[in-house]
């Protein structure tokens, strides 16, 4: 066979190449972009309501028993059709939730992961307890499920988000994914004692600044704050609007709204600090109380109650058993998916 014949391409060969090229371009244009939002924090503060409004749901909010999963989809016009999916996880209660906190991170990784920590501003004597539990849970989750290289790369992305030129950047304990701290029930908080409000705002601003987070106060009864909250969720879940924080507000006499990188130690009026010292200062000024409810009962007490016939409620027991089964199946599915992806790679 001559060299000319070897180099000759038939019409069939050319057609196959054209189809392959078209499929390649089609896949690129129709690529599905996926993000994950993990909502955790105080119990009964309105986390489910925030999620329902983000996903355009009219369902009445009901108590979240353990870990709930939902998702939203959006199609972006342009060259081709780009599908966007937002996974939304909600943690119902912080007590005894170490394994539950790890599920969203283990399932989706931290590259396109966002955390929303929602705190009850109407209970200043519980704020630090809930905030510390949320931060520690997230830290353990990414340390246990991510490689050091992933964590380092994530912190670099957070550093870029707050600004590499920020004067405080080298004094911060940056998380490897963006976080937004939400102060819920602002309608009640605004009527609290001025000194209490000052301590709460200073604490939340300091923590948000040190981990590279944004800070937003929210109330379902305030339309402007509700809109800012929904814009924030849309920004985290789908990247729009490009900046949900139209202006920074740092006056503790009004609702705080502070964008990523929008604060500094100088503006807060404190010296560079870390999470532990911030907590000590806040707890000294606003002593924390233990809630005498199910959230803070010991495992021994809970087990004793579960065994005592006097504590049994058929409906609650049935829901608990159902949720335990769903969670077990979910964890098994995630572990199987993880093993499968490892084999593929």
């Amino acid at each position: 066979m001559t060299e000319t014949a070897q180099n000759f391409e038939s019409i069939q060969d050319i057609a196959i190449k054209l189809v392959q090229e078209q499929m390649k371009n089609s896949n690129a244009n129709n690529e599905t972009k996926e993000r994950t939002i993990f909502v955790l924090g105080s119990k009964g503060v309105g986390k489910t309501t925030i999620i329902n409004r983000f996903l355009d749901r009219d369902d009445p909010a009901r108590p979240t028993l353990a870990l709930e999963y939902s998702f939203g989809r959006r199609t972006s016009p342009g060259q081709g059709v780009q599908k966007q999916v937002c996974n939304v996880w909600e943690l119902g209660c912080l007590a005894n939730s170490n394994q539950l906190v790890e599920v969203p991170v283990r399932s989706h990784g931290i590259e396109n992961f966002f955390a929303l920590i929602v705190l009850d501003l109407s209970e200043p004597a519980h704020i630090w307890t809930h905030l510390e539990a949320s931060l520690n849970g997230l830290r353990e989750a990414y340390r246990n499920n991510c490689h050091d290289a992933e964590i380092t790369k994530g912190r670099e992305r957070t550093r870029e988000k707050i600004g590499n030129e920020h004067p405080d950047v080298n004094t911060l304990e940056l998380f490897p994914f963006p976080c937004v701290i939400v102060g819920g029930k602002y309608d009640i908080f605004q009527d609290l004692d001025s000194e209490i409000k000052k301590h709460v705002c200073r604490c939340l601003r300091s923590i948000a600044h040190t981990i590279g987070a944004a800070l937003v106060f929210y109330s379902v009864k305030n339309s402007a704050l509700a809109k800012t909250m929904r814009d924030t969720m849309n920004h985290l879940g789908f990247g729009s609007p490009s900046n949900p924080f139209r202006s920074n507000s740092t006056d503790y006499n009004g609702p705080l709204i502070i964008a990523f990188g929008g604060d500094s130690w100088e503006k807060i009026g404190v010296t560079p600090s870390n999470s532990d010292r911030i907590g000590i200062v806040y707890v000294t000024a606003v002593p924390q109380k233990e809630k005498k409810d199910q959230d803070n009962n010991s495992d021994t007490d809970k087990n004793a109650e579960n065994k005592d016939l006097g504590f049994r409620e058929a409906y609650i027991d049935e829901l608990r058993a159902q949720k335990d089964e769903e969670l077990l199946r979910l964890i098994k599915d995630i572990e199987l998916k993880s093993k499968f992806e490892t084999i593929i790679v």
Side-chain angles (χ1 to χ4, degrees):
M1 185 179 293
T2 64
E3 184 177 352
T4 303
Q6 288 177 337
N7 293 336
F8 178 76
E9 288 186 320
S10 66
I11 294 177
Q12 184 178 7
D13 294 332
I14 295 172
I16 290 173
K17 284 187 176 182
L18 287 173
V19 170
Q20 290 175 338
E21 187 67 26
Q22 288 176 352
M23 290 181 64
K24 183 178 179 181
N25 292 335
S26 176
N27 289 335
N29 290 333
N30 293 287
E31 179 183 2
T32 299
K33 289 194 171 183
E34 189 171 318
R35 296 186 177 197
T36 299
I37 302 176
F38 183 25
V39 184
L40 70 165
S42 303
K43 187 176 180 180
V45 70
K47 301 188 296 294
T48 302
T49 300
I50 291 173
I51 293 171
N52 284 346
R53 293 197 170 194
F54 165 56
L55 297 177
D56 291 322
R57 290 179 176 171
D58 296 326
D59 303 339
R62 54 185 176 80
T64 303
L65 297 180
L67 187 67
E68 299 273 349
Y69 171 79
S70 54
F71 69 92
R73 287 182 293 187
R74 179 178 293 180
T75 301
S76 299
Q79 294 183 349
V81 178
Q82 188 177 71
K83 300 174 183 176
Q84 295 175 295
V85 175
C86 179
N87 306 294
V88 183
W89 294 83
E90 180 190 358
L91 184 66
C93 177
L94 291 166
N96 304 308
S97 62
N98 294 346
Q99 292 182 340
L100 298 181
V101 174
E102 294 193 9
V103 171
V105 174
R106 190 162 67 239
S107 175
H108 305 287
I110 60 173
E111 184 175 357
N112 294 301
F113 186 91
F114 305 85
L116 196 79
I117 302 174
V118 189
L119 304 170
D120 190 342
L121 293 176
S122 70
E123 297 187 340
H126 300 294
I127 284 179
W128 179 254
T129 303
H130 296 163
L131 178 55
E132 184 180 39
S134 300
L135 295 175
N136 289 341
L138 290 171
R139 287 192 184 101
E140 287 298 312
Y142 71 72
R143 287 171 181 167
N144 291 341
N145 295 279
C146 301
H147 299 298
D148 290 343
E150 291 179 87
I151 295 173
T152 300
K153 189 174 181 180
R155 288 199 174 110
E156 289 174 356
R157 288 194 296 267
T158 304
R159 184 185 178 106
E160 291 175 1
K161 198 170 187 65
I162 67 171
N164 287 315
E165 303 303 319
H166 194 290
D168 299 338
V169 73
N170 293 322
T171 69
L172 308 180
E173 306 171 333
L174 300 177
F175 264 38
F177 45 79
C179 297
V180 177
I181 297 176
V182 179
K185 296 188 179 179
Y186 174 74
D187 54 302
I188 300 175
F189 176 77
Q190 64 183 344
D191 296 326
L192 296 184
D193 179 77
S194 178
E195 282 301 308
I196 294 292
K197 291 196 294 183
K198 187 184 299 185
H199 288 303
V200 170
C201 291
R202 183 184 293 123
C203 172
L204 296 185
R205 287 180 65 184
S206 298
I207 286 293
H209 184 51
T210 198
I211 67 172
L215 175 61
V216 179
F217 280 7
Y218 161 78
S219 169
V220 70
K221 297 179 180 180
N222 184 309
S223 59
L225 296 181
K227 184 180 187 309
T228 299
M229 188 69 258
R230 180 165 178 168
D231 287 348
T232 299
M233 290 292 285
N234 276 307
H235 177 67
L236 300 182
F238 300 113
S240 60
S242 57
N243 181 12
F245 313 105
R246 293 167 182 79
S247 61
N248 273 8
S249 177
T250 59
D251 184 355
Y252 72 90
N253 290 308
L256 299 185
I257 300 177
I258 303 174
F260 295 101
D263 220 336
S264 68
W265 298 123
E266 183 179 1
K267 291 177 183 176
I268 298 170
V270 298
T271 57
S273 190
N274 58 37
S275 299
D276 291 335
R277 290 201 296 270
I278 294 167
I280 291 171
V281 171
Y282 180 75
V283 169
T284 301
V286 186
Q288 300 295 279
K289 298 178 182 177
E290 290 188 8
K291 268 193 172 181
K292 296 180 179 179
D293 58 15
Q294 192 175 10
D295 284 1
N296 289 296
N297 288 339
S298 66
D299 291 337
T300 304
D301 292 338
K302 288 181 181 179
N303 291 333
E305 289 178 5
N306 290 335
K307 294 177 182 178
D308 190 331
L309 295 177
F311 285 96
R312 288 190 176 177
E313 295 184 36
Y315 178 69
I316 299 298
D317 292 342
E318 183 181 345
L319 282 178
R320 175 64 184 269
Q322 179 183 343
K323 287 298 178 183
D324 286 344
E325 289 178 7
E326 290 177 1
L327 181 61
L328 185 61
R329 286 198 300 270
L330 179 63
I331 292 175
K332 286 182 178 178
D333 289 345
I334 291 170
E335 290 176 349
L336 182 62
K337 179 182 175 183
S338 176
K339 290 178 181 177
F340 178 73
E341 289 176 345
T342 302
I343 293 172
I344 295 297
V345 172

